[in-house]
Amino acid sequence: MLFKKPEEIVVKASLPGVKPEEIEITVEDNVLTMKAESNKESESQESGYLIRERSSGSFYRALRLPDSVDTDRIHPIYENGVLTIILPKAEEKKRKQIKVNVQETRKAIETSESKKK
């Protein structure tokens, strides 16, 4: 899930069963990349049978970020299987008016002697 707020963009991803140290978040060339791997192993004994399950999965998302995101202040939070990444917007660049200077060209003054040559 991706949504905008006035001062930030928020990305949320469900990653149940993933340990925080298994999550990799990178930003390169305004592309946010999220990767995670989960490996679970469980055992239970029912009615004389021993059941052993192994489940694994991977997660990968890449999102192009707008230029207005301040990539130096990205803040990830992982809570109850949900990864939330807060992407603060950079201060808007003020529009700058640039004055165009006109340079006058000098005309040579013609005299009667310069016409004779």
Side-chain angles (χ1 to χ4, degrees), residues 48-73:
Y49 291 98
L50 179 65
I51 300 170
R52 185 177 200 151
E53 293 182 0
R54 290 183 184 172
S55 63
S56 64
S58 62
F59 172 85
Y60 176 85
R61 292 290 182 278
L63 303 169
R64 177 154 304 278
L65 300 175
D67 290 335
S68 62
V69 170
D70 184 353
T71 56
D72 293 329
R73 298 188 311 139

Side-chain angles (χ1 to χ4, degrees), residues 14-24 35-40 57-59 78 81:
S14 295
L15 300 171
V18 176
K19 295 176 185 171
E21 59 271 9
E22 294 173 339
I23 301 170
E24 182 182 324
K35 297 179 190 177
E37 295 271 339
S38 67
N39 295 309
K40 264 190 183 176
S58 62
F59 172 85
Y78 185 67

Side-chain angles (χ1 to χ4, degrees), residues 91-105:
E91 289 186 28
E92 294 294 324
K93 294 180 182 177
K94 293 181 181 178
R95 185 176 177 178
K96 185 178 178 182
Q97 183 71 31
I98 300 171
K99 184 178 178 182
V100 177
N101 294 321
V102 178
Q103 190 170 7
E104 293 183 27
T105 57

